[in-house]
Amino acid sequence: STFVTGVGRSMLGAVQSMKTSTSDSGANAKAQEQSQPPPRPILSNSLTTVIAQYPLHPCIAQTLLLRGRVLADCGIYGVADCDIDTDFSLLLQAIRNVEMAVAILRKIDQEYDLATSLALLGTLRTLLGHFNEADRAYEEALSLFRVMRLDAKYDQSQARDEETAAICEQSIKRINDGAANVFYRRGKLYQSRRMQEEAFGWYHKSLILSKCNGANREDSCV
């Protein structure tokens, strides 16, 4: 709880400090954005050391993800009384927090949360124009969803009562929802790269899977 409280306070402090510092440097930052491409993410070599200081617990990963989402929202939508459209430095901080959450989730065998976190990481990297890194994050997320779906289908086939079968059915739908979301985000990635044909293919997969997920016959979904 001490860690969670500390992260929460640091998050609040970061947002409050942005209101003062960002307004002072707004004009300079906007001019710099127009003259330079989005910065590449610079990852600390001591990331593993930092993660080792955190308890390997799902709530820690979720807190880091929350902080990453808040920083990303502030970076994308800005802060009150600020004219800057996008603050790439905040997006870089968001990526760092999400990467730490991903590293923790890898170690505690939280496959679904890991897959959705990788999808978020892919989206943030896409916003910064790091398309290859984003694509790798999406591919890993989809691989996890495929494995989870196969496991859930097997469990469903081995279910000995209706209640267990219903739980497996809900798990499959949840997994399909996650995969459809990654299909869509990957389509947005290729659209950003002006690869319209590839983007259409991923959008189509997302649409088909979403429709299939609501159909009565789950087996019709490939």
Side-chain angles (χ1 to χ4, degrees):
S1 59
T2 302
F3 170 81
V4 175
T5 303
V7 172
R9 289 176 178 173
S10 67
M11 190 190 316
L12 179 60
V15 174
Q16 290 176 338
S17 64
M18 284 185 292
K19 293 183 179 180
T20 56
S21 63
T22 312
S23 58
D24 296 336
S25 59
N28 293 334
K30 181 177 287 186
Q32 186 177 6
E33 283 181 29
Q34 294 175 349
S35 62
Q36 296 181 359
R40 301 290 296 182
I42 302 176
L43 302 180
S44 172
N45 293 329
S46 61
L47 183 61
T48 303
T49 304
V50 173
I51 295 171
Q53 299 174 4
Y54 296 156
L56 296 180
H57 194 280
C59 71
I60 305 300
Q62 293 302 323
T63 302
L64 288 166
L65 286 173
L66 175 60
R67 190 171 194 271
R69 289 181 186 278
V70 171
L71 288 167
D73 285 345
C74 291
I76 295 170
Y77 302 111
V79 187
D81 302 325
C82 177
D83 295 330
I84 298 177
D85 294 330
T86 303
D87 190 329
F88 294 109
S89 66
L90 292 181
L91 291 181
L92 289 171
Q93 293 181 49
I95 286 177
R96 178 178 174 82
N97 281 272
V98 175
E99 284 180 333
M100 288 192 290
V102 166
I104 291 175
L105 290 169
R106 290 188 197 280
K107 295 182 177 182
I108 59 178
D109 193 25
Q110 298 282 323
E111 291 184 335
Y112 182 85
D113 289 339
L114 174 58
T116 56
S117 299
L118 285 165
L120 173 60
L121 184 60
T123 298
L124 294 176
R125 285 174 168 169
T126 298
L127 290 172
L128 285 176
H130 307 155
F131 299 123
N132 291 334
E133 295 175 358
D135 201 44
R136 287 195 293 270
Y138 288 144
E139 180 59 36
E140 184 178 355
L142 288 175
S143 297
L144 288 168
F145 281 127
R146 292 187 192 104
V147 172
M148 285 187 286
R149 187 173 187 278
L150 288 173
D151 291 342
K153 291 292 289 183
Y154 176 79
D155 291 340
Q156 185 182 42
S157 68
Q158 301 297 313
R160 297 184 178 182
D161 53 72
E162 293 183 0
E163 182 179 359
T164 302
I167 293 173
C168 293
E169 182 73 15
Q170 290 301 316
S171 178
I172 291 171
K173 287 186 176 182
R174 184 178 182 226
I175 292 166
N176 284 342
D177 281 340
N181 179 52
V182 177
F183 286 153
Y184 177 80
R185 290 172 184 246
R186 211 171 191 182
K188 295 286 287 184
L189 182 153
Y190 282 101
Q191 185 177 354
S192 299
R193 302 179 72 175
R194 298 184 179 181
M195 302 170 66
Q196 306 302 336
E197 185 175 352
E198 290 82 357
F200 177 81
W202 289 108
Y203 286 144
H204 183 67
K205 287 184 177 182
S206 177
L207 178 63
I208 294 299
L209 184 55
S210 296
K211 286 184 175 181
C212 176
N213 206 31
N216 292 327
R217 292 187 57 190
E218 178 68 31
D219 289 341
S220 64
C221 182
V222 179

